[in-house]
Every structure is written in structure tokens, then in C-alpha cells.
Amino acid sequence: MAAHAQEIQTVTTKELFKEVEKIEHVKDIKITPFMMSLARVAAPDNSKEMLKQVNSMRMFFLGECSQEDIQRFTERISGVEINGFEKPVEETSENGALSRVFMKTKGDYIEEVIVATLDKENTCLIYMKGELTQETLIKMSQRDSIPQ
């Protein structure tokens, strides 16, 4: 039997978020611009510059969802492109977790970014809006650079 290539579907961020919101037991955390301003004040000095570039965030955590729901989410996000965003960049970590990064650029900065981390234990979807530089995204992806 020949393997079939997965059909790529284009969705909007609103459609994608509505799908994820419907997953049973998903944790949906919204960080408004006001909450981001408070985070910048309280952040350690070495994080303030990164946080200045982020206006708001939304995070979906699937850690408490069923394995079936996580599998469906993984298959869905693996076969999607987001309207207005560049084709996703994929990266596999040392522990085998796959990340798909979708970016919407405006001039020299990244206006919106969506990171889907597909891992059996830490599956999540993170959305950031702001005026991010590529350097900031690289720093954010390096866990050692973000104080815990």
C-alpha cells in the first residue's frame, strides 16, 4: 500500500483557536497587554528586554487531555498552514519533541508567532503578538536564557 502525503489545509488563527478550545481538559491561558505590562515590571533585568517585545500571549496546554485528543491535535497541527503566516519551520529536540513555528512578519520584525510543541507529555500551542526580533525568538527558545 502506498503512503499518501497528508493534505495541507489553510486555517485562520481564529479557526485554529476555536478548534483547540473545544478539546476537553485543555488549559487556556490568556495574557492581556495589561498583564504583560505587569510581568515586565516584575521580571528579572535579563528578561525585561525580551518581554518589552511581547504585547500579549495565549497559551493552550494539553497535558491533562486524553492521549486520543493529543494525537488528533498533533495530526491536525502537522497538516495545517495558517492564513497570513509564513510556512512553518519545524525542529525536533533532543528528546524527540517536534515544534512547528508559524510567523507573520511586518517589516524587520515578527508581528505574530505561533509555536506548537508536539510531545507526549508537554503538548502545547503558544501564540505571541508584538514586535519581536528573530534574535528574541532564538533567546526564548533556549530555555537556559529564560530565568525560572
Side-chain angles (χ1 to χ4, degrees):
M1 179 184 277
H4 296 286
Q6 185 173 9
E7 183 179 323
I8 300 297
Q9 182 180 13
T10 302
V11 297
T12 65
T13 54
K14 187 175 183 176
E15 291 168 336
L16 179 62
F17 294 166
K18 281 191 180 283
E19 284 182 44
V20 179
E21 287 170 357
K22 292 178 184 177
I23 299 173
E24 191 172 337
H25 302 298
V26 69
K27 299 263 191 263
D28 181 0
I29 300 170
K30 297 175 187 170
I31 303 175
T32 65
F34 175 72
M35 291 173 68
M36 283 303 300
S37 68
L38 294 176
R40 285 190 285 274
V41 170
D45 289 340
N46 61 344
S47 295
K48 287 184 189 225
E49 198 57 41
M50 282 191 280
L51 290 175
K52 282 182 186 177
Q53 296 179 28
V54 180
N55 295 336
S56 62
M57 294 178 72
R58 187 165 186 190
M59 299 171 281
F60 296 96
F61 296 98
L62 285 81
E64 295 181 18
C65 299
S66 71
Q67 286 302 311
E68 293 82 18
D69 284 337
I70 291 171
Q71 183 62 35
R72 271 192 297 277
F73 171 78
T74 298
E75 290 170 5
R76 177 70 171 133
I77 203 73
S78 295
V80 76
E81 290 182 3
I82 302 172
N83 192 31
F85 285 68
E86 297 174 13
K87 288 191 182 287
V89 176
E90 293 187 358
E91 182 178 303
T92 304
S93 70
E94 290 177 9
N95 68 355
L98 173 67
S99 291
R100 296 191 89 212
V101 181
F102 304 84
M103 293 180 281
K104 180 189 269 186
T105 58
K106 184 175 183 181
D108 291 339
Y109 62 87
I110 300 161
E111 185 176 46
E112 296 176 65
V113 65
I114 296 174
V115 178
T117 301
L118 310 173
D119 181 6
K120 289 179 182 172
E121 291 151 23
N122 297 310
T123 299
C124 62
L125 184 75
I126 299 173
Y127 170 76
M128 290 182 281
K129 188 171 186 173
E131 293 184 1
L132 298 119
T133 63
Q134 191 167 14
E135 180 181 307
T136 296
L137 281 182
I138 291 168
K139 283 182 183 178
M140 287 179 170
S141 71
Q142 298 167 340
R143 292 180 184 216
D144 295 338
S145 70
I146 301 172
Q148 304 293 319

